[in-house]
């Protein structure tokens, strides 16, 4: 179906995606570079993203759920190694075995289950080194060593709690705890780093790195930017323009009031599309090169922008860029007091995603 001019556009640059993957692979000090494609490849579309990464040479993929693993297998074909981070539930064993999904075993229960049901199929093992979320504690690992002898271990992994701050002392504590625990399974390859850890030096890269957000153009660090290619462009059209003056208010709850004359554009984008409502009175878009702040509340289908600074560039049908080269993902995340991760994974099904190769 052809789209009207009033449709928002979500464009995904697969060339930028694969160049970001190559950047991480080049920073990995010889470690294998996998790709994390959970949550529909961070909202960008599992199928085109996984296909492009595989064509660029990526052989190992991580998802969170068994069903995501199944979807990844349909796209990637039989050769890819697909890890499922959340592990395997008793009812899921058939799915995992039939589609050659490799669970990351997070608990004694999962290890016992896989030992019985997985027979000779490989698995990953997650060690908890201080995040206290998933994975085996030191004591549990002692108990697991017996059953693990009959499982082919494809990777031993752990996850850093504070990699968004490379100077945080917890990073080195977790790294040392991980290496100490892992000596009990000396044959298996080791993986500790997501996007942030990969850029923290060879001592974090080990045998395999697992970048996610960096592939999609988001900096893994709170305070440093990283030279990544922007992957996502989100633009939405101006539907209507109006002039407001002192005392006029905008939108639900009348939370913004003009103190002088302003040109206001109404844009066809809202929280129903996945643009966070926390952008009310704090998010921004770029129109004709000018930074245009959001005025009032974000509603389901509409946002109001102060386009006074855009001059004659603010006209009906002109596009306001919310994400892209002029409106960086990290800047938008900061304005909305959230993370690039949340912005991307909220992008809904209302958009037709279009893909290019840059
Ligand atoms: C999501 C996730 C990753 C990817 O993290 P990024 O910060 O997006 O690079 C890696 N490892 C685990 C265990 C994860 O849950």
């Amino acid at each position: 179906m052809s789209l009207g001019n009033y449709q928002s556009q979500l464009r995904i640059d697969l060339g930028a995606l694969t160049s970001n993957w190559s950047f991480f692979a080049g920073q990995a000090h010889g470690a294998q570079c996998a790709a994390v494609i959970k949550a529909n490849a961070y909202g960008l579309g599992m199928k085109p993203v996984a296909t492009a990464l595989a064509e660029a040479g990526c052989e190992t993929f991580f998802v969170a759920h068994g069903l995501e693993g199944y979807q990844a297998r349909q796209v990637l074909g039989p050769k890819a190694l697909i890890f499922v981070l959340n592990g395997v539930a008793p009812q899921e064993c058939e799915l995992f075995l039939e589609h050659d999904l490799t669970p990351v075993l997070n608990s004694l229960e999962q290890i016992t289950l896989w030992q019985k049901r997985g027979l000779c199929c490989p698995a990953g093992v997650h060690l908890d080194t201080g995040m206290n979320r998933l994975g085996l504690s030191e004591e549990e690992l002692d108990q697991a060593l017996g059953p693990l002898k009959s499982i082919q271990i494809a990777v031993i992994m752990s996850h850093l709690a504070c990699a968004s701050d490379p100077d945080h002392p917890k990073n080195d504590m977790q790294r040392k705890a991980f290496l100490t625990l892992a000596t009990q399974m000396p044959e298996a390859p080791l993986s500790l780093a997501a996007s942030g850890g990969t850029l923290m030096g060879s001592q974090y890269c080990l045998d395999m790195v697992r970048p996610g957000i960096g592939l999609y153009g988001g900096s893994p660090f709170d305070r440093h930017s990283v030279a990544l290619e922007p992957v996502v462009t989100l633009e939405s059209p101006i539907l209507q323009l109006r002039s407001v003056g002192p005392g006029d208010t905008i939108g639900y709850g009348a939370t913004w009031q003009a103190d002088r004359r302003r040109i206001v554009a109404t844009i066809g984008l809202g929280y129903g599309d996945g643009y966070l409502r926390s952008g009310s009175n704090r998010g921004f878009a770029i129109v004709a090169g000018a930074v245009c702040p959001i005025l009032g509340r974000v509603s389901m289908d509409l946002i109001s922008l102060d386009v006074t600074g855009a001059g004659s560039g603010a006209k009906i049908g002109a596009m306001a860029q919310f994400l892209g080269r002029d409106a960086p993902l990290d800047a938008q995340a900061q304005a909305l007091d959230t993370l690039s991760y949340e912005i991307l994974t909220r992008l809904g099904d209302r958009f037709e995603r279009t893909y290019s190769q840059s």
Side-chain angles (χ1 to χ4, degrees):
M1 195 164 58
S2 82
L3 301 172
N5 293 336
Y6 286 173
Q7 198 73 32
S8 298
Q9 293 181 3
L10 182 55
R11 295 195 299 275
I12 291 135
D13 182 342
L14 298 172
L17 169 84
T18 53
S19 104
N20 290 337
W21 181 79
S22 300
F23 168 76
F24 279 93
Q27 297 287 312
H29 298 272
Q32 193 198 349
C33 190
V36 180
I37 55 167
K38 61 194 178 188
N40 195 29
Y42 288 47
L44 304 191
M46 158 108 58
K47 187 170 182 189
V49 164
T51 305
L53 290 169
E55 279 169 10
C58 184
E59 296 172 344
T60 301
F61 297 83
F62 285 83
V63 295
H65 299 170
L67 205 52
E68 292 176 345
Y70 167 77
Q71 291 160 353
R73 179 62 74 207
Q74 303 309 303
V75 172
L76 289 164
K79 285 223 299 271
L81 179 54
I82 300 171
F83 285 106
V84 178
L85 289 164
N86 286 7
V88 59
Q91 320 84 285
E92 289 179 321
C93 282
E94 301 304 324
L95 177 81
F96 276 63
L97 294 172
E98 188 174 337
H99 300 285
D100 190 20
L101 307 178
T102 307
V104 177
L105 305 173
N106 295 302
S107 64
L108 280 168
E109 291 77 15
Q110 289 181 8
I111 288 170
T112 315
L113 174 70
W114 198 248
Q115 186 198 12
K116 291 200 191 107
R117 300 287 301 280
L119 301 171
C120 52
C121 295
V125 178
H126 191 156
L127 305 180
D128 177 51
T129 54
M131 198 152 187
N132 285 304
R133 220 173 47 164
L134 289 176
L136 303 171
S137 68
E138 194 175 346
E139 300 74 53
E140 286 165 335
L141 178 60
D142 281 342
Q143 298 173 54
L145 284 174
L148 280 175
K149 285 206 175 67
S150 53
I151 295 177
Q152 189 193 330
I153 302 179
V155 73
I156 299 177
M157 56 160 274
S158 191
H159 194 47
L160 296 170
C162 302
S164 65
D165 174 7
D167 299 323
H168 199 292
K170 186 141 187 145
N171 294 321
D172 197 49
M173 283 164 52
Q174 285 193 268
R175 186 183 68 81
K176 288 185 174 130
F178 182 55
L179 293 178
T180 304
L181 290 175
T183 53
Q184 305 190 59
M185 291 162 286
E187 305 298 315
L190 303 181
S191 177
L192 180 60
S195 302
T198 307
L199 304 181
M200 281 158 45
S202 61
Q203 69 275 32
Y204 286 91
C205 291
L206 305 173
D207 299 309
M208 186 201 288
V209 297
R210 318 182 299 267
I213 192 68
L215 308 180
Y216 309 108
S219 169
F221 298 133
D222 293 336
R223 289 188 302 274
H224 316 269
S225 63
V226 179
L228 298 165
E229 296 279 334
V231 174
V232 183
T233 303
L234 171 59
E235 292 183 337
S236 204
I238 296 179
L239 306 182
Q240 191 169 345
L241 287 161
R242 62 201 320 125
S243 171
V244 298
D248 289 339
T249 67
I250 291 179
Y252 286 119
T255 61
W256 185 86
Q257 186 168 41
D259 59 2
R260 60 210 149 114
R261 194 130 296 279
R262 303 272 89 192
I263 307 299
V264 179
T266 306
I267 309 289
L269 180 79
Y271 64 77
D273 301 282
Y275 187 85
L276 300 177
R277 193 165 168 275
S278 60
S280 301
N281 286 308
R282 55 193 304 173
F284 70 94
I286 306 294
V287 177
V291 180
C292 300
I294 290 179
L295 305 176
R297 288 205 184 133
V298 171
S299 45
M300 190 185 292
D301 322 302
L302 299 170
I303 283 173
S304 299
L305 288 178
D306 181 349
V307 294
T308 315
S312 61
K315 40 180 187 273
I316 305 231
M319 284 297 196
Q321 185 177 104
F322 287 82
L323 294 174
R325 213 166 265 284
D326 298 332
L329 176 58
D330 292 309
Q332 189 70 254
Q334 199 166 25
L336 271 54
D337 195 22
T338 183
L339 303 176
S340 54
Y341 300 73
E342 190 182 19
I343 296 208
L344 294 185
T345 55
R346 290 289 186 95
L347 295 171
D349 295 332
R350 240 181 174 183
F351 304 108
E352 188 194 39
R353 286 157 172 72
T354 56
Y355 297 89
S356 69
Q357 287 289 344
S358 59

